[in-house]
Amino acid sequence: MISPFRWDVVVTGFVLAIPVFLLGLRGDFTVDDVTTRLLWCLGAGWVAVGLLRWATTPPPPARRARPSPAPADEPAPS
């Protein structure tokens, strides 16, 4: 599980928060609205980075089947 305070999560959260900051500066949001929505932006950044990391992680390598040993009733080739 990724931390919500990793640098990529925080940067993504701040990028998502730019419109919230601008609306707060313009006067459309109060300080309480801005602080509440900043937490949502951090959560959305955490989800976005987690989904991106999950989607770009390569699948684990497939296990190779071990060749089975020769049956005991058949003589080994010489």
Side-chain angles (χ1 to χ4, degrees):
M1 186 161 181
I2 62 174
S3 170
F5 297 112
R6 286 176 42 112
W7 69 270
D8 50 355
V9 173
V10 172
V11 168
T12 306
F14 278 128
V15 168
L16 293 173
I18 290 172
V20 175
F21 283 129
L22 294 176
L23 287 170
L25 289 174
R26 197 169 85 174
D28 292 339
F29 289 156
T30 64
V31 174
D32 291 334
D33 290 336
V34 171
T35 54
T36 302
R37 285 179 169 86
L38 287 179
L39 293 176
W40 282 101
C41 291
L42 181 63
W46 183 74
V47 169
V49 169
L51 184 63
L52 186 66
R53 289 172 57 98
W54 173 79
T56 59
T57 303
R63 289 187 168 184
R64 292 185 181 181
R66 286 185 158 178
S68 59
D73 59 342
E74 294 180 17
S78 14

